Amino acid sequence: MKKHSALVGIGLVIMVLVLTACGGQAQRPARTTVNVMQASPLQSVDPAHASDIVSAQTMMDVYSGLYRYSNKQLHPDMAARMATISHDQKTYTFHLRRNARWSDGRHVTAQDFVYAWRRAVNPATKSPYAYAFNDIVNAQAIGAGKMSAQRLGVVALTRTTLRVRLTKAVPYFESMLTMSVFDPVERTQVTKYGSQYGTSAATLTFNGPYRLTKWRGKGAQRWVETKNPTYWRAHQVHLHRVTYRVVKSSQHALKLFRQGQLDDITVSGSSTHKAKKMTGYHVVKQNIATYLELNQARVPALKNQSVRQSLALAINRAGLIRDVLGDGSQPLTTIVPAGMFYNEQSGADFATSAANGVSRYSKYDLERARKLFKAGMAATGQTQLTLTVIGADTDSAKATLQYLQRSLAALSQPQATVTVKVVPLSLTDRLARLRTGNFDLALTAWSADYPDPATFLNLFTTGNSNNHAGWSNTKYDQLVNAAQTTDAGNVTHRWHDLLAADQLLTRSVATIPLYQVGQARVRNPQLHARYNNPNGLVNWATAYYQGQ
C-alpha cells in the first residue's frame, strides 16, 4: 500500500524506578512512551476504506492480521502457525490463536476474518483495495456485481479455523496478508456505527499491540495509542504509549526533537545537513516509489508520446535528490524500486534488470527533451501547454513541486511554450482530487504492500482503483495477468512477464518515475528494535528503550 505518509508535554516521559534485589540500588529508569512525527493527519482506521500510509501505520499498530512482518521476516500473528497449503497451492488453511481477543474481551474468530473480507470485496463498500482479493475464488465476479459477497472463497470451518480458496497459485499470497485490508473487524462495531465506523477512536475495537485511545477524526493533529492488554503477546510489548504528531516542517521537527518532544522524526532538504551531525541520524531505504501521474484524458496533449517523454527527460532526478531532498533517496528508472525483489535463479535485482534497455526514457537530457516537446506539440497542432501539478503540502513536497515547476518550464521555446502551476494540497484534498481524476499531473508515491513487483505493476492495469490517470494498455494487462495466472507457478516465465510489463510501462511513459524514497531520520539513540518492514511501516510492537 500504500500509497499515496498526542499529547506532548506533561507526561511526555513515563519513568519507572526499579530497585535491585541486592543492596537496593536503583537501575536506570525505563521509558515507556515514544513520540513520533507524521507528515499528515490520520484519515481512517477502517481496514476496508483506508488507503494512505499514515492510516496503514496506525492500523498496523492497533490491528493484527493473520501474519506480521518483523523486519523482513514473516511471522504468524492471529494465526497460531503458518498456513497449511494444499499441493496445488490453491487452498490455505489457517488455525487462529485460541487466546486471541478483541479489546472488548471477545474472542477473535475466523468469522471476523470472513466478515471483514466479504465486506471489503463487496462493491457497495467501495474499498480502494478490493482488487487485493481478486485471486480468491469468486472475488472478481463479486466485484463486478454478478455474485453475492457471501460466495467469496473464504469460510470459517470452526471458531479458530479459516479456509481460503484461490483461483490459482499466488506466490506472494502470504505476504499480501499483512495488508491492513485483510485485517479482521468486529461485525457488531460496524453494525453499530455504520458509516461512522473507523472515523474516530470511539467507534473501534482492537486486536493488535495497541489501542487507539485518543483520536477525534480527520484533521486531528495528534493521536494516541496505548498498550493493548488483550493482545496475545502483550507481555512482549515494552512501550506503553505511542503518540503521533503531525509536523510538516523539517526545521520544526528538529526543534521538537532537541526539546525532547519527539523521539522519531523524518527530515529533508537543508535540515539534513544539521541532522547528519546528530546522534541517531540514519537513512532508511524504503520500498516506496515517488512518481508523476499523467492525466491524458484531462490534457489531450499528453496523449502524444513525444510530449510525455519530453516531460520525463526534462527532470534531473539526481539534482532533485541532491539539491532538494538530501535524504538518501535514489533515482528511479522504472516504477519498481531496487533491493526488493530478486531472480530466484540468478540473484539479479529486478529493478536493475528492468532498467536495461529503457534507461533512456528516464535519463535527464534537456536538449533532447526540448526537441521532443517541440515535435510533439507540433503533432498536436498546439503551441501552448498549461499544466497544473498537485502534490502534498509538506515542506519537502512543496520544494519538490517547485523543482518540477522549474524543470518543466525549461521546455519552453519560441515554437512551443509550457506554463506550469503547482498546487500543494492536504492529504484529504489530494486524495479527493486523485480519486475523481481532477488533476493534470500528480506528484504521488506508492509503498510496497508486499515485496513483489506486482504491488507496483498492478496499479496501472485497466480499471485498478489506484490507476487515477486511467491509463490502459491491452498488452500490459495481459502481461501482468499472465504473471498472476498462467505463469504464476513458473519462476522463469513469471519473471519475464513482470520484466516485460515494467519495461512496456516505461517505454510508454504512462507514468514518470522520479525516485525511490530514502528516509533521512533522527531517532532517540536509546530506542531499539524498531524495524522498518518491507511495506515501509514501523513495527512498534518490538521497540524498547535501552535498559528495559
Side-chain angles (χ1 to χ4, degrees):
M1 132 219 122
K2 354 215 70 264
K3 313 252 176 214
H4 283 341
S5 121
L7 299 179
V8 178
I10 299 175
L12 174 67
V13 181
I14 302 174
M15 307 293 283
V16 180
L17 184 63
V18 181
L19 298 179
T20 60
C22 61
Q25 261 186 332
Q27 293 181 343
R28 177 180 294 179
R31 282 189 58 179
T32 57
T33 293
V34 64
N35 303 287
V36 185
M37 168 188 173
Q38 283 288 18
S40 303
L42 177 60
Q43 298 294 301
S44 173
V45 193
D46 181 347
H49 285 130
S51 62
D52 64 287
I53 198 165
V54 176
S55 297
Q57 177 65 66
T58 300
M59 288 189 292
M60 192 179 101
D61 298 344
V62 301
Y63 292 131
S64 285
L66 293 166
Y67 296 148
R68 177 178 292 265
Y69 269 112
S70 181
N71 203 1
K72 295 182 180 180
Q73 298 299 313
L74 196 61
H75 298 286
D77 200 352
M78 285 297 96
R81 55 185 181 274
M82 301 301 285
T84 300
I85 307 173
S86 63
H87 182 70
D88 64 1
Q89 299 182 57
K90 293 182 181 180
T91 301
Y92 287 69
T93 303
F94 301 91
H95 298 280
L96 274 58
R97 299 183 186 277
R98 295 186 178 277
N99 63 334
R101 293 182 181 272
W102 291 98
S103 53
D104 60 9
R106 295 174 179 169
H107 283 286
V108 177
T109 69
Q111 190 59 43
D112 292 333
F113 283 91
V114 173
Y115 172 72
W117 294 12
R118 287 175 176 172
R119 175 174 176 258
V121 80
N122 190 331
T125 304
K126 297 181 180 179
S127 172
Y129 272 111
Y131 68 88
F133 296 87
N134 279 354
D135 295 321
I136 297 179
V137 167
N138 294 332
Q140 294 192 49
I142 294 167
K146 298 177 181 179
M147 191 178 290
S148 167
Q150 302 300 309
R151 296 185 62 183
L152 184 67
V154 54
V155 62
L157 300 178
T158 69
R159 181 174 70 83
T160 57
T161 306
L162 180 72
R163 187 184 69 194
V164 182
R165 291 187 298 119
L166 306 180
T167 59
K168 59 182 179 296
V170 181
Y172 49 85
F173 180 65
E174 289 187 289
S175 295
M176 287 182 66
L177 295 176
T178 62
M179 295 170 61
S180 56
V181 74
F182 288 99
D183 289 341
V185 297
E186 278 200 279
R187 183 172 189 164
T188 54
Q189 295 298 112
V190 179
T191 301
K192 181 178 180 180
Y193 292 103
S195 62
Q196 295 304 303
Y197 176 77
T199 62
S200 68
T203 67
L204 300 161
T205 53
F206 313 101
N207 70 321
Y210 298 96
R211 299 180 179 187
L212 186 60
T213 54
K214 293 184 180 180
W215 177 53
R216 298 188 306 273
K218 281 185 181 182
Q221 299 297 297
R222 301 182 185 185
W223 56 100
V224 182
E225 300 168 359
T226 56
K227 181 176 176 179
N228 181 8
T230 64
Y231 181 51
W232 71 272
R233 60 183 303 181
H235 61 289
Q236 295 181 10
V237 177
H238 298 289
L239 296 179
H240 292 185
R241 182 182 175 104
V242 180
T243 66
Y244 288 103
R245 176 172 177 173
V246 177
V247 182
K248 298 182 179 182
S249 163
S250 292
Q251 293 284 1
H252 188 45
L254 281 172
K255 178 181 177 181
L256 294 173
F257 184 87
R258 291 192 178 101
Q259 292 174 346
Q261 295 189 51
L262 286 174
D263 301 297
D264 186 89
I265 64 173
T266 302
V267 296
S268 63
S270 60
S271 296
T272 58
H273 300 300
K274 298 178 182 178
K276 287 177 181 177
K277 301 175 183 178
M278 301 171 64
T279 303
Y281 173 83
H282 61 292
V283 174
V284 181
K285 188 176 181 180
Q286 300 277 24
N287 293 333
I288 301 176
T290 299
Y291 55 99
L292 280 172
E293 295 191 66
L294 312 176
N295 196 340
Q296 298 182 38
R298 182 180 170 96
V299 185
L302 292 178
K303 294 180 180 180
N304 183 276
Q305 170 88 7
S306 294
V307 172
R308 297 197 304 276
Q309 191 173 349
S310 72
L311 301 182
L313 299 184
I315 301 168
N316 186 339
R317 291 154 181 77
L320 168 63
I321 294 166
R322 180 188 64 244
D323 301 333
V324 177
L325 302 175
D327 56 5
S329 294
Q330 297 293 323
L332 270 180
T333 298
T334 78
I335 197 66
V336 179
M340 180 188 73
F341 186 75
Y342 299 88
N343 188 298
E344 292 184 20
Q345 298 169 335
S346 68
D349 188 310
F350 181 88
T352 302
S353 297
N356 289 333
V358 296
S359 60
R360 67 182 182 276
Y361 293 94
S362 303
K363 187 176 181 179
Y364 174 60
D365 187 338
L366 183 57
E367 182 180 355
R368 183 163 175 251
R370 287 167 61 88
K371 291 179 180 178
L372 285 167
F373 183 67
K374 178 181 176 181
M377 290 298 290
T380 66
Q382 301 177 52
T383 58
Q384 296 180 333
L385 177 63
T386 299
L387 296 171
T388 299
V389 189
I390 66 171
D393 60 353
T394 62
D395 280 0
S396 176
K398 288 178 181 177
T400 300
L401 286 171
Q402 291 168 1
Y403 186 92
L404 295 175
Q405 183 180 40
R406 294 192 298 272
S407 298
L408 300 182
L411 290 169
S412 287
Q413 47 202 293
Q415 300 89 345
T417 62
V418 58
T419 301
V420 183
K421 302 175 182 178
V422 295
V423 180
L425 297 169
S426 68
L427 180 58
T428 300
D429 291 341
R430 184 159 45 91
L431 289 175
R433 294 274 291 267
L434 288 171
R435 288 167 181 162
T436 58
N438 185 16
F439 65 93
D440 298 342
L441 272 63
L443 175 64
T444 189
W446 187 262
S447 175
D449 292 313
Y450 45 92
D452 189 280
T455 189
F456 292 95
L457 300 179
N458 278 331
L459 296 174
F460 303 96
T461 54
T462 302
N464 187 288
S465 57
N466 290 296
N467 185 358
H468 304 116
W471 180 75
S472 179
N473 182 287
T474 301
K475 179 61 176 177
Y476 181 83
D477 292 345
Q478 291 171 347
L479 288 167
V480 175
N481 183 60
Q484 300 175 100
T485 54
T486 54
D487 294 340
N490 187 309
V491 173
T492 301
H493 290 176
R494 184 172 188 270
W495 172 270
H496 288 299
D497 290 337
L498 294 170
L499 208 63
D502 195 15
Q503 292 178 332
L504 189 158
L505 185 74
T506 305
R507 288 195 303 271
S508 301
V509 199
T511 186
I512 299 178
L514 295 176
Y515 59 89
Q516 178 175 355
V517 173
Q519 286 189 336
R521 307 188 75 119
V522 187
R523 182 182 68 216
N524 186 321
Q526 302 299 313
L527 189 60
H528 294 277
R530 172 197 159 281
Y531 297 124
N532 282 83
N533 296 334
N535 53 16
L537 305 179
V538 175
N539 188 10
W540 290 113
T542 64
Y544 65 95
Y545 283 96
Q546 187 175 2
Q548 272 189 313

